Amino acid sequence: MSEIGVFEFQGKRYEFPVEIGTENEIAIDISKLRSKTGGVITLDPGYKNTGSCKSAITFLDGEKGILRHRGYPIEDLAKRSNFLEVAYLVIFGDLPNKEEFEKFEADVKKNSMVNEEIKDILDGFPRAAHPMGVLSSLTGALTAFHPRHAGMYSEEEMYNSITKILGKFPVLAAWSHSKNEGLPLSYSDNSLDYVENILMLMFKIPTTKYEANPIIKKAIEELLILHLDHEQNCSTSTVRLVGSSHASLFASISSGVSALWGPMHGGANQAVIEMLEEIIEDGGDVDKFIKRAKDKNDLFRLMGFGHRVYKNFDPRALIIKESAKAVLNELGVVDPALKVAKHLEEAALSDPYFIDRKLFPNVDFYSGIIYRALGIRVEMFTVMFAIGRLPGWIAQWREMHLNKEPIGRPRQLYIGVNERKCVPMSKRK
Ligand code: ACO
């Protein structure tokens, strides 16, 4: 490596090594900046230019609209693989052969029971509690029921924690939904595959036998794969940061769920449907809302539009848009929200404000329309995202431990008051 990064400051020249990734991405390694310069740090709010780690999991080119996991294009994985298979790929590095897959699936299924006492915790939540809050809490609660899984980082110990959370997370997700609906809590059925089991947990009513509709199964499988990993986004960085303190996998994932919940991140899928409904209720004047989105004095943003990394079409959004059309057709659902969404997309994509800022529909723009057509309530949309993202969080947490990364601890630029004396309360004005 011959390249170096040069930084000149106060008449002195400092050199820093340059690293080049396997896709020719370039990074200046400034890890010695502070010690070499005697205190200078970088300032990068929102980490727009900061690489927090080296990773071999996901490659993303936001300018070209490319997304690959372990080298495989997302388009191929979404069409040709099943969710658990892609989970294995993302976590362990290669697509599994038949034997590896069967062992992995069996190990995940072995762990699909949830401690009965977790139901007592669930009972403590109000019925209207948002399922993401409940899911984050119940995932955190796993640390209390499986304390041995904290601070274990041999490959075997990590594998045990990984299969445990993959087995239990869909059950906890479904229970957060059942709580909302006032339904009894279901248990996993290990005769089903991973995604069929998720559907059964979500949709089964005790009085009827549940059989997954193949159209629904295919759509959900594809959606889960499309959400599986997206390199160092907000929730994934949270999982890595929490995990870097050697908190357990369960505690780290619980934090990831909370980070995903926000409407700027995974919560956007719920926010998109709420926005589309607002537009319909308001009379359907799309241009009025486009105008509002452009107005800097109005807090309204076009939800499901824009992305920190994609400055081109989000490749996942392209697949989901086609899938939304197909699902609605096949199920015979007519959703006025789809019409408004298409109109909104057309209007935005031909508007200089969105063109200049390279704002395109993201993964969340059309996913809510599919979830709604499948009968999933709006508060559960981000939970579905979390089920999809779980293997990605796991893979990133595992990679961080295998790479023996140090604890994450950013610096800051202090802009507060300089030293002053503390006066007794009686003497304060
Ligand atoms: N509607 C209107 N204007 C927007 C939007 C939007 N959805 N997104 C960005 N902009 C504008 C900003 O106001 C800013 O304008 P300016 O340059 O005149 O100040 C410019 O585009 C750049 O936007 P930033 O907010 O600086 O971009 P950032 O990378 O920080 O934010 C984000 C990305 C949070 C996704 C943003 O586009 C947004 O809020 N989108 C709506 C929420 C959403 O859909 N989130 C889901 C993202 S996908 C995911 O997390 C799974």
Side-chain angles (χ1 to χ4, degrees), residues 60-362:
L60 200 169
D61 183 330
E63 272 70 33
K64 295 193 183 128
I66 294 173
L67 174 61
R68 292 186 211 127
H69 298 314
R70 304 284 191 184
Y72 295 100
I74 188 65
E75 294 81 0
D76 284 0
L77 294 171
K79 294 288 166 218
R80 300 205 173 94
S81 308
N82 72 50
F83 176 66
L84 206 56
E85 197 186 350
V86 186
Y88 183 100
L89 165 76
V90 167
I91 298 171
F92 301 111
D94 280 308
L95 281 167
N97 62 29
K98 191 167 177 289
E99 207 178 41
E100 287 164 336
F101 181 76
E102 282 172 2
K103 179 179 179 331
F104 182 56
E105 188 180 36
D107 289 337
V108 169
K109 284 183 175 178
K110 244 186 266 164
N111 281 297
S112 63
M113 284 287 284
V114 169
N115 192 304
E116 284 294 292
E117 283 178 279
I118 290 197
K119 289 181 178 171
D120 298 336
I121 303 175
L122 192 64
D123 273 346
F125 286 99
R127 182 167 160 193
H130 195 289
M132 281 298 276
V134 176
L135 180 59
S136 171
S137 307
L138 296 186
T139 307
L142 288 178
T143 53
F145 291 90
H146 306 281
R148 283 193 313 106
H149 285 259
M152 299 188 139
Y153 308 116
S154 75
E155 277 274 27
E156 192 192 344
E157 288 159 343
M158 281 201 276
Y159 183 82
N160 290 338
S161 289
I162 289 168
T163 48
K164 210 173 253 321
I165 195 147
L166 279 168
K168 296 182 195 314
F169 195 78
V171 181
L172 301 180
W175 283 8
S176 69
H177 167 69
S178 309
K179 171 86 191 175
N180 271 177
E181 298 282 317
L183 288 168
L185 307 178
S186 302
Y187 293 85
S188 285
D189 176 348
N190 286 349
S191 69
L192 302 175
D193 76 25
Y194 195 75
V195 172
E196 278 165 359
N197 188 50
I198 292 170
L199 292 171
M200 183 280 297
L201 285 164
M202 296 269 301
F203 292 119
K204 186 176 169 2
I205 293 168
T207 48
T208 53
K209 184 169 161 42
Y210 180 76
E211 268 182 52
N213 172 333
I215 300 167
I216 296 187
K217 159 94 195 296
K218 185 174 168 287
I220 292 288
E221 188 107 45
E222 191 176 273
L223 275 174
L224 294 177
I225 293 172
L226 292 174
H227 285 91
L228 209 141
D229 189 58
H230 212 234
E231 52 117 299
Q232 307 313 317
N233 55 83
C234 176
S235 56
T236 301
S237 298
T238 301
V239 169
R240 280 186 96 123
L241 191 64
V242 174
S244 78
S245 75
H246 292 198
S248 75
L249 175 62
F250 308 150
S252 307
I253 300 291
S254 159
S255 313
V257 174
S258 297
L260 186 73
W261 189 3
M264 294 291 112
H265 190 15
N269 55 15
Q270 175 175 343
V272 168
I273 289 292
E274 287 165 354
M275 173 187 75
L276 296 175
E277 275 172 355
E278 190 188 339
I279 296 174
I280 293 167
E281 269 170 37
D282 193 67
D285 184 354
V286 162
D287 294 338
K288 176 178 158 189
F289 284 83
I290 294 276
K291 212 167 152 197
R292 281 189 62 194
K294 296 190 289 185
D295 180 356
K296 297 291 171 199
N297 296 317
D298 189 331
L299 288 177
F300 177 80
R301 273 194 166 198
L302 207 53
M303 299 313 288
F305 251 79
H307 198 278
R308 170 59 59 80
V309 187
Y310 290 119
K311 302 302 168 198
N312 195 327
F313 258 97
D314 179 337
R316 302 165 301 171
L318 289 174
I319 301 173
I320 293 177
K321 183 180 174 183
E322 287 313 305
S323 185
K325 267 195 271 174
V327 167
L328 263 56
N329 266 346
E330 284 185 63
L331 295 178
V333 174
V334 181
D335 189 343
L338 181 63
K339 211 171 141 203
V340 176
K342 280 188 190 153
H343 190 166
L344 210 51
E345 183 187 334
E346 279 160 21
L349 292 180
S350 58
D351 188 304
Y353 174 95
F354 292 89
I355 296 170
D356 292 351
R357 289 170 181 75
K358 299 191 168 112
L359 302 171
F360 290 87
N362 59 48

